[in-house]
Amino acid sequence: MPDIIVIRNARTVVAYNAATGGHAYLEDADVAFDATGFLHVGGRYEGPFADEISGRDRMVLPGFVNVHCHSGEEPVSKSLFEDQGTAALWGQAMYEYSTLIEIGDDAVKAALTVMLGDLLRSGVTTFVDIAGPHDCWLPTLAESGARAYVAPGFREAQWHVEDSRRLDFRWNAARGREAFARALETVDAAEAHPCSRLGGIVAPAQVETCSPELLQEAAEAARSRKVPITIHAAQTMAEHEELLRRHGLTAVQYLEKLGVLGPDLILGHCIFIDSHGWTRQRTADDLGRLAASGTSVAHCPVTFARSGMVLQSVGRYRRSGVNVALGTDSYPFNMLEEMRTALINARIAGGTVFDVSTADIFDVATLAGAKALGRSDIGRIARGAKADFSLVDLKHSGMQPVYDPLRNLLHCAAERAVAAVYVDGACVMENDRPTRVDYDGALAELQAVQDFAVRRLQANDPRGRAASALAPLSLPVLPHP
């Protein structure tokens, strides 16, 4: 008997429509799959099978493709700095506060496990993890059953915020080159991993922390390996102004001059382009450069919205021909909440409810992500594609009453209605928990890790401020009467 599984008579399947190149609803349909991919999508499946899943009151959803997230210390930062920012750096908290978090090597696996567990719980089946390389990275990702790309970051300059008023760069080219060499070793190991679900991406960390030569060599290394490239670029106003000071160019213009733009490049965030309302430029050329080169944008709205920053706008980028994909960046690592925020922010930034639709955002989280990674076999439910998908419970209270199930999922129910997630035809999340890694154990460990990080805040702060000043609680703590 073949190892074929049939979802019988699914109430709704979000299927790929080859005629339009987008998604469409397919009702009362059978879906058959095995480890090689989807074998049947449509009417009744009459072939042999080993197991059957009832599709009654279920929506079958293509797996989400998250093109930008960070494990490392990010899961430990939760609830520390959401209300903080550096006023002199346009309110951005990243430069001054993210460098204060310290975790030990033994905590990295717990942080990674929590991140990938949260991603799976929100329907993500493929993700790009931009982090520092470590021994447990590939083994943990392979164990989880997820489809993952490792993007080991490297850079030649470290950020230093002087007296909360000025961003400086401390350069060490030799250290950057060593990190570049180690990153390429990790990329090669991921590409050769026997589980076949892992891949590598060359990731110069930020456009302003790498020399022009390193950026060009990184692009050459990626292209010789036929793997994608990702760079944080146009992500903050501080970076935007720094590149203008150094080169008189925006990030997009600078990368175009270096020959780095291209269909294999994913730009992290890409908010502060020449036409953004915060910049000094009064031109609108960068979107055309991105579209003409085929460069993709990794849009991560939640993290930046916390700092009062917004891309202007998803709809405008898409109408300009730019491939906008979605990432979660930092916590909460919830793709459905990210999609909701992306949709709402786009309508606010675009000044109209018509800037983007639910279907547009769903495309951003699936097909656009697949395109950014150079793939046509993920982010869709179609015969021959990878069997990466979610089962959504249409009877969940957040999904009731059902008129348009995708709108219910994005606007109301979110991950709470995701009943199960499959990658390569195997169940990797069920009953709100990953099936292959110890998510609850990692959660318990993470509290101790954060406690340690909070104790180290004062020692890591150049100004020696106490944790209570760096990360004040939302409310005062009263003594017992």
Side-chain angles (χ1 to χ4, degrees):
M1 179 69 68
D3 293 328
I4 296 172
I5 300 174
V6 180
I7 303 171
R8 188 70 76 186
N9 199 31
R11 180 169 169 181
T12 302
V13 178
V14 179
Y16 180 68
N17 184 357
T20 63
H23 300 290
Y25 285 140
L26 187 62
E27 298 183 339
D28 300 322
D30 285 2
V31 176
F33 61 92
D34 65 9
T36 66
F38 291 112
L39 307 173
H40 172 92
V41 181
R44 184 169 180 83
Y45 173 75
E46 300 289 0
F49 62 91
D51 198 7
E52 184 175 277
I53 299 172
S54 172
R56 184 181 180 184
D57 297 320
R58 289 287 188 265
M59 175 167 62
V60 187
L61 203 66
F64 296 132
V65 181
N66 178 344
V67 298
H68 190 107
C69 62
H70 301 280
S71 55
E73 75 281 354
E74 291 291 350
V76 182
S77 302
K78 190 183 298 182
S79 82
L80 294 180
F81 304 127
E82 289 88 345
D83 293 337
Q84 304 304 100
T86 304
L89 300 178
W90 291 268
Q92 174 61 252
M94 174 176 65
Y95 297 109
E96 185 170 9
Y97 294 90
S98 67
T99 58
L100 305 179
I101 301 296
E102 177 185 341
I103 65 172
D105 292 341
D106 56 343
V108 171
K109 182 175 181 179
L112 174 59
T113 300
V114 170
M115 184 195 79
L116 66 87
D118 288 344
L119 292 176
L120 290 172
R121 292 168 62 217
S122 67
V124 172
T125 54
T126 299
F127 62 90
V128 174
D129 185 18
I130 306 167
H134 48 85
D135 292 341
C136 66
W137 203 6
L138 300 188
T140 303
L141 292 174
E143 179 187 6
S144 74
R147 193 177 308 282
Y149 287 80
V150 296
F154 53 91
R155 59 184 179 177
E156 294 164 302
Q158 301 291 324
W159 296 320
H160 172 73
V161 177
E162 182 66 28
D163 197 27
S164 297
R165 61 183 173 83
R166 187 182 72 243
L167 175 64
D168 292 335
F169 297 85
R170 296 179 172 177
W171 292 85
N172 187 325
R175 183 173 58 193
R177 291 289 169 165
E178 291 172 4
F180 178 37
R182 186 181 178 195
L184 292 182
E185 292 174 359
T186 305
V187 167
D188 292 342
E191 287 289 308
H193 198 279
C195 85
S196 79
R197 293 187 312 277
L198 302 187
I201 294 180
V202 177
Q206 296 90 20
V207 65
E208 81 278 16
T209 62
C210 296
S211 65
E213 295 78 16
L214 184 58
L215 290 171
Q216 290 175 317
E217 289 178 37
E220 182 180 352
R223 286 162 182 163
S224 68
R225 287 167 168 78
K226 295 181 170 55
V227 300
I229 319 161
T230 190
I231 308 170
H232 291 82
Q235 70 166 332
T236 69
M237 277 297 295
E239 172 228 289
H240 176 81
E241 290 292 308
E242 179 66 18
L243 290 179
L244 286 179
R245 185 189 68 81
R246 292 183 198 172
H247 309 291
L249 301 170
T250 68
V252 172
Q253 294 160 11
Y254 176 54
L255 291 171
E256 180 185 55
K257 181 178 179 181
L258 295 179
V260 177
L261 296 186
D264 53 358
L265 173 64
I266 304 170
L267 292 185
H269 313 308
C270 201
I271 298 170
F272 296 102
I273 58 175
D274 62 343
S275 57
H276 194 281
W278 288 17
T279 67
R280 290 184 280 162
Q281 285 67 39
R282 291 297 177 264
T283 57
D285 301 327
D286 283 353
L287 287 179
R289 290 182 170 92
L290 293 171
S293 63
T295 300
S296 293
V297 168
H299 178 41
C300 308
V302 169
T303 300
F304 285 86
R306 283 200 290 256
S307 293
M309 300 171 187
V310 63
L311 184 139
Q312 298 176 340
S313 65
V314 171
R316 188 166 70 94
Y317 277 49
R318 282 168 56 90
R319 288 188 294 274
S320 298
V322 179
N323 184 53
V324 181
L326 199 68
T328 55
D329 200 47
S330 180
Y331 59 90
F333 302 113
N334 187 321
M335 196 70 160
L336 286 158
E337 293 288 357
E338 207 79 34
M339 292 163 71
R340 180 191 298 170
T341 302
L343 187 147
I344 293 171
N345 282 4
R347 292 177 177 180
I348 293 171
T352 172
V353 68
F354 305 113
D355 190 76
V356 290
S357 67
T358 298
D360 293 331
I361 291 299
F362 193 78
D363 181 270
V364 166
T366 53
L367 298 173
K371 181 178 180 180
L373 294 173
R375 301 189 66 155
S376 60
D377 61 344
I378 59 175
R380 69 196 67 200
I381 294 177
R383 185 174 179 179
K386 297 292 185 183
D388 298 357
F389 64 94
S390 296
L391 294 177
V392 175
D393 179 9
L394 296 179
K395 283 295 188 181
H396 186 277
S397 59
M399 296 295 293
Q400 292 290 313
V402 180
Y403 173 74
D404 186 312
L406 276 185
R407 288 189 195 138
N408 276 13
L409 185 67
L410 266 64
H411 291 270
C412 300
E415 83 288 352
R416 295 178 292 276
V418 179
V421 176
Y422 288 72
V423 176
D424 271 347
C427 184
V428 295
M429 196 288 293
E430 193 171 29
N431 298 322
D432 201 38
R433 286 296 183 270
T435 60
R436 300 186 175 191
V437 292
D438 184 8
Y439 177 80
D440 291 320
L443 280 176
E445 184 177 346
L446 218 55
Q447 183 61 63
V449 173
Q450 188 184 72
D451 292 344
F452 169 80
V454 170
R455 289 195 299 270
R456 293 289 300 165
L457 287 179
Q458 185 169 7
N460 291 336
D461 179 37
R463 296 172 62 188
R465 289 168 289 182
S468 59
L470 290 165
L473 297 176
S474 299
L475 300 173
V477 178
L478 294 177
H480 290 292

